[in-house]
């Protein structure tokens, strides 16, 4: 996917979020840009993409609302290698045998991975900004922005810009700063250097200290409209029907939409519904096959199936609260199934079901077998559905029959 270069510089474009992008550009041009912004929003909506675009605008010597792409600064910042731009993301701890301060060496030891991540970002501002590194015991090491990295930023921020009028620091997943890193960072936020600008992104703003948050201008980014996503996917070479369905199922996330577009989303959607049916009936003959099918496909990472399960329960809530309006449903075409579940199980607890799905993902991450994790999930989901409405039996049957 994304074979065609879509912008002049050949990278995947920033999608939507126009109101926020204009607001940032206008405050800069009006001389009112804040020294620190906190871009907040769920995964895949473009926090890093918007931050990088604004970072390039802060460095650009032009005066437009977009990086001019003509000036020296734009030419250099296109590769994200501008001397006045620094991009920071969480790193796994790296052990060095004889060092007393192991973790501060992470940036040195991982320099190749960091360079590769930045290269990926130049082609695709939605690329992952966490470096995966398996620890010795096999689990993924904890990703943190450590105090060493923040000290280095503080030092660099105090120096004059090399080339541009400003110095820009993009701090991805800022919530992964540990306590001492946040403490150190607070100092620069309290008295930011005149030319220093800090763009922080986070999916979990509650993990940031209130003192850090209160010194940043908060910029909320919301899930993208399905139309914007479908258009971007289609323009990057995804076939129209797949682009539309992936966009609808993505919950407004570019990352999820692209993952979905890579595989057969319709087939996975059917697997999710089969698993729910097997869970609802606790059918010992159907459950094993439904569980296998749910996680057995090669075309999606495991979490996509879990995301879809949670989206189904979100749809139940949306449908229940929004009278006859079905437009907000991500399972759009499966409206009849959503309605069937609601009339058969009027007391369904969608929030508890979503938590059960998260717990199941947690079980798998901790190494439980898929059989154990999914059977436990099926039992939990059956509990979350609540008692079956006896008077509504016939409508449930007809729903089941029509999708058998
Ligand atoms: Zn420029």
């Amino acid at each position: 996917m994304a074979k065609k270069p879509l912008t002049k510089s050949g990278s995947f474009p920033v999608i939507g979020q126009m109101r926020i992008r204009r607001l940032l550009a206008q405050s800069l041009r009006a001389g009112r840009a804040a020294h620190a912004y906190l871009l907040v929003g769920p995964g895949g909506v473009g926090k890093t993409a918007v931050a990088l675009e604004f970072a390039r605008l802060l460095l650009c010597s032009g005066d437009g609302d977009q990086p001019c792409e003509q000036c020296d600064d734009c030419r250099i910042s296109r590769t994200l290698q501008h001397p006045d731009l620094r991009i920071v993301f969480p790193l796994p701890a790296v052990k060095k045998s004889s060092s007393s301060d192991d973790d501060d060496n992470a940036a040195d030891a991982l320099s190749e991975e960091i360079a590769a991540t930045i290269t990926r970002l130049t082609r695709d501002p939605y690329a992952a900004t966490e470096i995966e590194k398996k620890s010795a015991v096999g689990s993924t090491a904890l990703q943190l922005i450590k105090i060493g990295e923040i000290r280095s930023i503080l030092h660099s921020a105090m120096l004059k810009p090399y080339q541009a009028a400003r110095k820009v620091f993009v701090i991805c997943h800022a919530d992964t700063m540990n306590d001492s890193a946040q403490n150190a960072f607070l100092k620069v936020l309290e008295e930011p250097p005149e030319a220093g600008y800090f763009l922080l992104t986070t999916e979990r703003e509650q993990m940031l200290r209130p003192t850090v948050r209160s010194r940043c201008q908060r910029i909320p980014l919301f899930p993208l409209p399905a139309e914007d996503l479908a258009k971007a996917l289609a323009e990057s070479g995804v076939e129209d029907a797949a682009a539309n369905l992936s966009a609808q199922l993505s919950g407004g996330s570019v990352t999820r939409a692209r993952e979905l577009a890579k595989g057969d989303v319709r087939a996975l959607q059917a697997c999710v519904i089969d698993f729910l049916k097997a869970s609802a009936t606790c059918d010992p003959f159907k459950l094993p096959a439904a569980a296998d099918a749910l996680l057995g496909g090669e075309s999606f990472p495991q979490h996509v199936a879990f995301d879809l399960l949670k989206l189904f329960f979100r749809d139940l809530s949306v449908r229940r609260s929004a009278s006859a309006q079905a437009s907000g449903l991500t399972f759009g075409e499966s409206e009849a199934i959503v309605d069937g579940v609601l009339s058969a199980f009027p007391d369904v607890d969608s929030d508890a079901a979503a938590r059960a799905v998260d717990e199941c993902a947690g079980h798998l991450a901790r190494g439980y077998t898929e059989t154990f994790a999914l059977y436990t999930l099926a039992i939990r989901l059956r509990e979350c559905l609540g008692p079956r409405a006896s008077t509504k039996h016939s409508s449930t049957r007809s729903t089941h029959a029509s999708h058998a």
Side-chain angles (χ1 to χ4, degrees):
M1 211 196 67
K3 296 263 161 38
K4 298 178 198 167
L6 295 165
T7 62
K8 274 184 242 165
S9 56
S11 75
F12 195 83
V14 183
I15 301 169
Q17 309 294 7
M18 289 314 298
R19 196 184 65 80
I20 295 294
R21 292 158 72 192
R22 271 197 292 268
L23 179 139
L24 288 169
Q26 284 162 6
S27 24
L28 172 63
R29 293 307 167 218
R32 289 184 281 103
H35 280 277
Y37 288 96
L38 180 61
L39 288 86
V40 178
V45 299
K47 296 180 296 299
T48 306
V50 170
L52 291 176
E53 181 184 66
F54 186 52
R56 294 193 62 220
L57 190 64
L58 283 161
L59 296 171
C60 172
S61 44
D63 58 5
D65 280 357
Q66 293 269 311
C68 75
E69 305 295 351
Q70 307 291 328
C71 71
D72 276 355
D73 291 302
C74 280
R75 200 171 42 73
I76 301 171
S77 71
R78 203 173 290 159
T79 61
L80 303 179
Q81 305 285 353
H82 195 290
D84 295 315
L85 172 64
R86 171 108 166 244
I87 304 167
V88 177
F89 32 84
L91 301 174
V94 171
K95 296 287 172 203
K96 278 197 174 173
S97 51
S98 60
S99 169
S100 58
D101 198 3
D102 296 340
D103 297 327
D104 287 349
N105 292 317
D108 292 340
L110 294 167
S111 55
E112 276 178 33
E113 285 93 337
I114 294 169
T117 302
I118 290 176
T119 304
R120 273 200 303 279
L121 282 174
T122 64
R123 290 193 297 264
D124 176 6
Y126 296 89
T129 47
E130 275 170 307
I131 292 179
E132 295 263 329
K133 195 88 177 175
K134 299 287 178 193
S135 73
V137 289
S139 60
T140 304
L142 190 63
Q143 315 269 328
L144 285 177
I145 298 174
K146 296 273 186 178
I147 186 158
E149 189 73 11
I150 297 300
R151 281 199 196 113
S152 154
I153 288 177
L154 299 190
H155 175 74
S156 166
M158 293 307 152
L159 304 173
K160 282 207 167 73
Y162 290 99
Q163 176 177 332
R166 304 180 182 87
K167 259 182 126 100
V168 188
F169 302 85
V170 177
I171 302 175
C172 304
H173 301 285
D175 52 88
T176 61
M177 282 191 277
N178 61 14
D179 250 12
S180 45
Q182 289 197 38
N183 251 340
F185 190 60
L186 193 55
K187 292 197 181 80
V188 79
L189 288 181
E190 281 165 347
E191 281 180 71
E194 205 185 317
Y197 289 80
F198 302 88
L199 312 179
L200 286 67
T201 74
T202 182
E203 286 172 36
R204 307 177 301 167
E205 60 178 323
Q206 298 307 320
M207 301 289 286
L208 283 166
R209 294 185 164 197
T211 42
V212 170
R213 274 183 274 147
S214 68
R215 283 175 174 82
C216 299
Q217 186 172 330
R218 185 177 185 274
I219 302 283
L221 272 74
F222 297 104
L224 290 157
E227 310 85 75
D228 290 4
L229 280 172
K231 186 163 168 275
L233 287 176
E235 282 172 0
S236 72
V238 177
E239 176 256 326
D240 278 356
N244 279 328
L245 186 58
S246 304
Q248 270 184 43
L249 288 168
S250 69
S253 154
V254 177
T255 320
R256 201 187 281 143
R258 288 153 95 192
E259 277 169 1
L260 289 162
K262 277 187 209 161
D264 186 349
V265 275
R266 281 164 185 273
L268 186 65
Q269 191 180 21
C271 291
V272 165
I273 289 165
D274 283 347
F275 179 75
L276 284 168
K277 282 182 189 168
S279 302
T281 52
C282 276
D283 187 330
F285 295 105
K286 288 188 179 149
L287 192 55
D292 275 356
L294 186 68
L295 296 187
E298 297 284 298
S299 52
F300 295 102
Q302 215 168 46
H303 70 87
V304 177
F306 291 132
D307 288 348
L308 281 179
L309 264 172
K310 289 205 288 185
L311 283 174
F312 184 83
F313 284 98
R314 201 204 63 158
D315 275 2
L316 289 180
S317 299
V318 170
R319 185 69 165 167
R320 181 154 56 189
S321 60
S323 62
Q325 266 275 339
S327 57
L329 298 189
T330 43
F331 266 64
E333 289 178 3
S334 310
E335 207 177 297
I337 297 180
V338 170
D339 285 347
V341 171
L342 277 178
S343 59
F345 301 101
D347 300 325
V348 55
D349 185 342
S350 296
D351 292 341
R355 284 197 298 276
V357 174
D358 284 339
E359 276 171 31
C360 176
H363 284 154
L364 290 173
R366 287 201 297 279
Y368 288 89
T369 65
E370 285 185 4
T371 307
F372 170 82
L374 287 180
Y375 285 23
T376 308
L377 176 62
I379 294 166
R380 291 283 313 281
L381 290 180
R382 180 65 197 82
E383 288 165 4
C384 297
L385 286 170
R388 185 184 281 272
S390 51
T391 52
K392 302 283 179 160
H393 240 145
S394 56
S395 81
T396 317
R397 286 232 181 87
S398 66
T399 302
H400 277 219
S402 66
H403 292 275

